[in-house]
């Protein structure tokens, strides 16, 4: 059973920094994609950033240059460093893990952690 446990998040003033981390446990293939998505009430969950085992990253345009995603493959952890935060970044942030096993896709989500950017 794969589980994702998120940590971090909280309240920060505009222009501030915050990081969220996620640790995956269970039987996880050596090749996977981990990432972060976010969601606000009444809106669809949207991509923030993803990173592959090889280190290839993908960012939403709205966070490009402000957020940095990193991954520790040995520990199966992923961290999102968020700088220059804006009120529009306020959302519940969800960790994600995707991989293939015997050509079958698997997708897992964390429970979410609240990030609030407000003065």
């Amino acid at each position: 059973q794969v589980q994702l446990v998120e940590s971090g998040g909280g309240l920060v003033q505009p222009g501030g920094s915050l990081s969220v981390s996620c640790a995956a446990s269970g039987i996880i293939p050596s090749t996977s994609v981990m990432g972060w998505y976010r969601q606000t009430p009444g809106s669809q969950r949207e991509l923030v950033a993803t990173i592959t085992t090889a280190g290839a990253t993908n960012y939403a345009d709205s966070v490009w240059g402000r957020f940095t995603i990193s991954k520790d493959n040995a520990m199966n952890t992923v961290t999102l460093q968020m700088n220059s935060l804006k009120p529009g970044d306020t959302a519940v942030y969800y960790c994600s893990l995707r991989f293939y096993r015997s050509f079958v896709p698997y997708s897992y989500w964390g429970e979410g952690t609240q990030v609030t950017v407000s003065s």
Side-chain angles (χ1 to χ4, degrees):
Q1 181 74 10
V2 174
Q3 289 187 323
L4 302 179
V5 178
E6 297 141 334
S7 59
L11 173 64
V12 64
Q13 292 186 343
S17 298
L18 202 62
S19 67
V20 288
S21 294
C22 172
S25 62
I27 300 175
I28 301 169
S30 58
T31 301
S32 65
V33 180
M34 294 190 76
W36 291 93
Y37 291 71
R38 65 188 183 187
Q39 188 171 21
T40 56
S43 299
Q44 289 187 333
R45 195 169 295 185
E46 64 176 13
L47 167 74
V48 177
T50 61
I51 185 167
T52 69
T53 305
T57 57
N58 182 40
Y59 294 93
D61 289 344
S62 59
V63 306
W64 186 269
R66 300 188 297 122
F67 291 10
T68 302
I69 190 169
S70 59
K71 187 172 184 279
D72 184 330
N73 291 324
M75 300 298 293
N76 281 318
T77 59
V78 62
T79 298
L80 183 69
Q81 176 65 42
M82 302 177 286
N83 299 326
S84 302
L85 282 160
K86 306 174 182 179
D89 295 317
T90 296
V92 177
Y93 284 68
Y94 295 91
C95 177
S96 74
L97 168 66
R98 292 179 285 123
F99 57 81
Y100 282 86
R101 179 178 288 135
S102 300
F103 306 104
V104 175
Y106 290 83
S107 180
Y108 297 90
W109 294 96
E111 293 186 351
T113 184
Q114 178 70 45
V115 172
T116 302
V117 184
S118 175
S119 55

